[in-house]
Structure formats: C-alpha cells, structure tokens
Amino acid sequence: MRKVRSRTGAEMPVLGQGTWEMGEDPRRRREEIEALRLGLDLGMSLIDTAEMYADGGAERIVGEAVRGRRHEVFLVSKVLPENASLEGTIRAAERSLKRLRTDSLDLYLLHWESSHPLEETLAGFERLIADGKIRHYGVSNIDLQGLQRAETLPGGGRIACDQVYYNLSRRGIERKLLPWCAKRGIIVMAYSPLDQGKLCCAAELWKVARRHGVTPACVAIAWTLRRSNVISIPKASSLQHVRENASAPDLRLTEQDLADLHAAFPPPSRDIPLETL
Ligand code: NAP
C-alpha cells in the first residue's frame, strides 16, 4: 500500500478504514471485527475511530480487531470538542487508549471546532506527545481560515492532518483548502468517500466502473486518491465491501475516466463554506 508522509513525518497508508456506526449493535460486533481484520489483511492498515462513535463502542470494537496486531496499524482517534480543554484532552485520550487497549495513538484529532481555545487543545496534544501517548496530532472539519489561524499558534505548525468531508459530490475543498494543505505537507484525510454509500449506485460511476471491471465504490475511492496529499477512509462492515474497497489503490483512472467523472460531478464554481456531516 502506497504511503504519504506528513510534514511531521507521519507515514499514513493512502487507504484506511472508517468505523462510524460500528459498536452500536451488539449483534453486529463479530461481523464488524472481522471486517476490520480483513481490511488489515488487505493492507488498509489505517483505522479511524473516535470517542464519539457509539459512545466509545467503536473504539472497543477497534481494540478487539487490532488485538495482537497493533504494530501493523496506524491508529487514529478523535477528541470531542466539549472535552478539548488542556486537561480534558489528556483525560479523553487516556480513556480512548483504555478502550482501544493500547499505549499510544498514531494520530489524535480534534473532531470539530471547539469552544475551548485551540491553544489549549494544542497544548494538550503536545503534552500527550511528550508523555508518549500520541505520536502525531491534527484536526477535523476545520476550514482554511481555521487552519491559517492555527498555524500562528504554538504547536499549530505541527498539525499533521485535516480530516474533512471529501468525495465526488463534495468538492469544495479543491478550490483552496486542498492546495494550501498540499503546499505545507498537511495530509487531507477524506471522510465519507462514498458519500455514506450514496455514490455506490450512481449511474455515472457505473459507466467508468464497467470499463475497468470494478464497482462504483472502487471508482469513487480511487478518485479521492488521485492527489498526492489525500488519503481516504471508507467504512465497510460487509466483507464483500471491504474486498471491493481494498482494490481501489490499484485502479488507474484514465484521462477519459477523470473527464467523465468531472463532467458528472463538477466542483463548485465559487468558494463555499467547508461542508460537514
Ligand atoms: P462512507 O465510507 O462514505 O460510506 C459508508 C457506507 O457505504 C456504509 O453504509 C457501507 O456499508 C457502504 N459501503 C462501503 N463500501 C461499500 C461498497 N464497496 N459497496 C457498497 N456500499 C459500500 O461513509 P462514512 O462512514 O460516513 O465515512 C467513512 C469514515 O469517515 C467514518 O466511518 C468515520 O470513520 C469517518 N468520518 C469522520 C467524520 C468527521 O466528522 N471527522 C464524519 C463522517 C465520517 P456497510 O457498512 O454495510 O459495508
């Protein structure tokens, strides 16, 4: 699996696995753990989770899925904005580590903008790095202005990643945020690359998928990976979906494919606020 490197030296596989909605239904626990393990077998070794998902339930599922193979995984979790004071960030990370049954996270993100000053969250992140509890940190759902402001704060220059809503139907970040991050070595982590499953049955995607003998999901994910500083984290709890998604980095979209997709899913023609879910 190809890797990208952030300005802080974090090396992330271009394709990872999301976990939103995992851990909510005990009857699906086994299937979810198996799906994540299969994803690891197939090289999708970044796992994205959050204290918010299923109130810690998704982190518990991940903890079980990575048992015995933690060293293979680039593990990402997120602190809720309401917990993101200096001390609150540290305590939230410690709770996440316990649920994940690990000593450290590879990347820890602020889930979205908080009413706690960002300076405090960054100071919490720095303390967690000094204590060996996280290796890198970043943000999520933060727009260009927010990132520019963060750059001026102590620790802001060590933000490794912005995790944002990005897929064929949500292309607003291509105008400014994406190139700005690329120039600075800030990795853009595309969440909901399948637009929560909606892109998996889009007719325009079928057209391209048929040319390559793959599925629309595979095309949608491959499209997010066409830029050098973007990585993608589709979520799949079905084993068949995991297999399809894992093949996306091998798909080489042609100029014709890209032109057809661009015509079917044009980017906005003016700046729009960062879209979020
Ligand atoms: P997504 O990955 O775009 O789509 C997930 C949906 O697509 C699921 O219903 C899944 O079904 C289905 N799916 C997956 N692979 C498929 C395939 N090959 N064919 C057909 N259907 C397929 O949506 P998402 O979960 O919202 O986003 C991905 C991850 O990004 C999340 O899980 C989370 O980790 C992260 N995220 C972060 C934020 C944030 O605020 N930072 C917000 C949203 C998401 P099955 O599960 O049944 O396989």
Side-chain angles (χ1 to χ4, degrees), residues 20 48 140-141 163 192 194 196 233 235 237 241 244-245:
W20 192 15
D48 175 73
S140 177
N141 295 305
Q163 183 183 111
S192 307
L194 303 170
Q196 302 209 287
I233 48 165
K235 173 254 178 185
S237 46
H241 290 165
E244 286 174 20
N245 299 350

Side-chain angles (χ1 to χ4, degrees), residues 11-31:
E11 293 209 336
M12 309 185 200
V14 291
L15 187 58
Q17 307 184 73
T19 62
W20 192 15
E21 293 179 353
M22 287 190 182
E24 287 179 359
D25 181 350
R27 287 167 303 183
R28 301 200 64 191
R29 183 183 163 80
R30 201 193 173 107
E31 182 191 0

